[in-house]
Amino acid sequence: MAETTSTSQLDDALETAADQIRRAQNDKDLRPSIAGFFDEATNTVSYVVHDPATREAAIIDSVLDYEAASGRTSNGSADRIVEYVEANDLSVAWLIETHAHADHISAAPYLQERLGGKLGIGREIIRVQEVFGKLFNAGTDFERDGSQFDHLFVDGERFRIGTLEGIALHVPGHTPADMAFIIGDAAFVGDTIFMPDFGTARADFPGGDARELYRSIRRLLALPDETRLFLCHDYKAPERDEYAWETTVGQQRRENVHVRDGVSEDEFVEMRTTRDSTLAMPRLILPSVQVNIRGGRLPDPEDNGVSYIKIPVNAV
């Protein structure tokens, strides 16, 4: 388990992130180049973020194509990223997961084999591994220490992509392990918040907490208004015909239908809890989580050479 982080340390991390964003807003050389890759089958946006000066890059929240009816995987979505990286002569330093996704399988191992880079996720993945390791009866061979990843980020940790500054912020609530990654003036916020007309992420998965989610979102919305927010999903809210995944802190504070300025924590918790009770489980949650807690790797093949994904019956 990660050590408890004090309130003053949390404030220091947020102020460091805000200072970084202000520097990048005043100097275009400190801003990343960003390409989004939308997977309509899972409503997921993956990103390639790179430093224009050094062409060093990070890939955030990649998608492995998975056909639930047949159990077949394919690499079409990931290959689009490979083609972009190679066409732009980028060098991949990081493969980053904002959390252990419940709606798609990560393509990080495939991309790491093709492009290199270190696979990173938040330190609290250990808590998620413990919960879901029990659910899937993963046994003692499944390590619950985050060792399936190359690096475990902690709140306030600073890192670089070429000459670009980055900082990781712990933003639990959707899951205990959610992280936001601030790179230059851009924040990649995972499953915390969606476009203003759609609202916020659910908080009813094991270890989720609506009150924590509210506090995490308000923490992000304390960043400068001009901060660019890049979202992990879009579902096209009613009356909107186009997918969208980029917004700003200022726009969210003014317009978010769930958590704009003036919405109290108690109001949010009541809304989120009531809404979550009506939502169906994500279509791919059982395959996705048991693979993603392994760093995107399928369970080890059995004696016939085939990997199997477990579906627990009457357990969730």
Side-chain angles (χ1 to χ4, degrees):
M1 299 286 285
E3 294 182 359
T4 302
T5 306
S6 71
T7 302
S8 62
Q9 287 173 312
L10 293 178
D11 291 344
D12 287 347
L14 189 65
E15 188 54 44
T16 298
D19 288 344
Q20 172 189 301
I21 291 163
R22 294 185 192 102
R23 285 194 298 274
Q25 289 169 346
N26 290 326
D27 184 348
K28 63 181 179 59
D29 291 335
L30 301 179
R31 301 174 203 159
S33 176
I34 301 167
F37 298 82
F38 186 71
D39 176 57
E40 191 164 3
T42 61
N43 295 92
T44 301
V45 194
S46 305
Y47 296 98
V48 178
V49 186
H50 80 265
D51 172 19
T54 66
R55 312 206 72 73
E56 194 165 277
I59 298 170
I60 301 176
D61 290 338
S62 61
V63 174
L64 180 73
D65 301 319
Y66 176 73
E67 173 51 56
S70 66
R72 291 189 176 276
T73 64
S74 58
N75 298 313
S77 295
D79 282 338
R80 291 168 57 206
I81 290 175
V82 173
E83 291 168 5
Y84 177 86
V85 167
E86 293 179 343
N88 288 277
D89 194 27
L90 305 181
S91 172
V92 175
W94 287 103
L95 300 149
I96 291 174
E97 302 291 337
T98 55
H99 62 295
H101 308 279
D103 40 38
H104 71 272
I105 295 174
S106 169
Y110 173 78
L111 290 169
Q112 189 172 44
E113 181 179 342
R114 293 289 305 273
L115 301 170
K118 293 171 65 175
L119 174 57
I121 199 168
R123 176 75 169 74
E124 293 302 306
I125 187 62
I126 295 168
R127 291 178 58 190
V128 179
Q129 289 177 326
E130 184 64 33
V131 169
F132 284 99
K134 291 177 181 177
L135 175 64
F136 294 114
N137 197 29
T140 56
D141 289 340
F142 173 59
E143 299 291 344
R144 296 157 170 82
D145 59 1
S147 58
Q148 299 83 355
F149 300 85
D150 299 315
H151 186 80
L152 302 181
F153 286 96
V154 297
D155 187 82
E157 182 175 349
R158 302 180 74 175
F159 62 99
R160 284 189 172 272
I161 300 171
T163 61
L164 299 178
E165 296 178 299
I167 185 169
L169 297 179
H170 186 213
V171 287
H174 175 63
T175 79
D178 279 61
M179 301 291 288
F181 293 89
I182 320 299
I183 301 170
D185 67 332
F188 299 87
V189 298
D191 287 20
T192 52
I193 199 165
F194 299 139
M195 289 300 289
D197 56 0
F198 201 87
T200 58
R202 64 195 296 168
D204 60 330
F205 296 151
D209 185 285
R211 202 165 293 278
E212 274 196 332
L213 180 61
Y214 178 89
R215 294 171 185 174
S216 292
I217 292 171
R218 295 310 305 181
R219 188 180 186 210
L220 289 172
L221 297 187
L223 294 169
D225 278 0
E226 298 79 13
T227 306
R228 295 184 290 163
L229 301 182
F230 290 87
L231 317 179
C232 190
H233 296 288
D234 186 55
Y235 302 96
K236 286 198 299 191
E239 312 302 325
R240 175 156 56 85
D241 296 328
E242 301 294 329
Y243 289 111
W245 48 81
E246 180 180 352
T247 177
T248 66
V249 164
Q251 184 184 19
Q252 293 283 8
R253 292 184 62 171
R254 292 188 303 270
E255 301 175 16
N256 189 283
V257 294
H258 293 167
V259 74
R260 63 186 177 275
D261 286 356
V263 175
S264 72
E265 182 173 316
D266 286 343
E267 288 171 332
F268 176 82
V269 170
E270 181 178 3
M271 177 282 301
R272 189 70 266 170
T273 303
T274 301
R275 181 177 172 84
D276 288 351
S277 69
T278 70
L279 300 177
M281 296 289 280
R283 181 174 59 90
L284 296 181
I285 184 171
L286 295 177
S288 295
V289 172
Q290 66 186 289
V291 174
N292 292 335
I293 59 175
R294 293 177 165 89
R297 297 171 185 87
L298 295 173
D300 290 338
E302 299 191 7
D303 56 12
N304 62 353
V306 176
S307 293
Y308 289 87
I309 289 174
K310 293 181 178 180
I311 303 298
V313 177
N314 298 326
V316 294

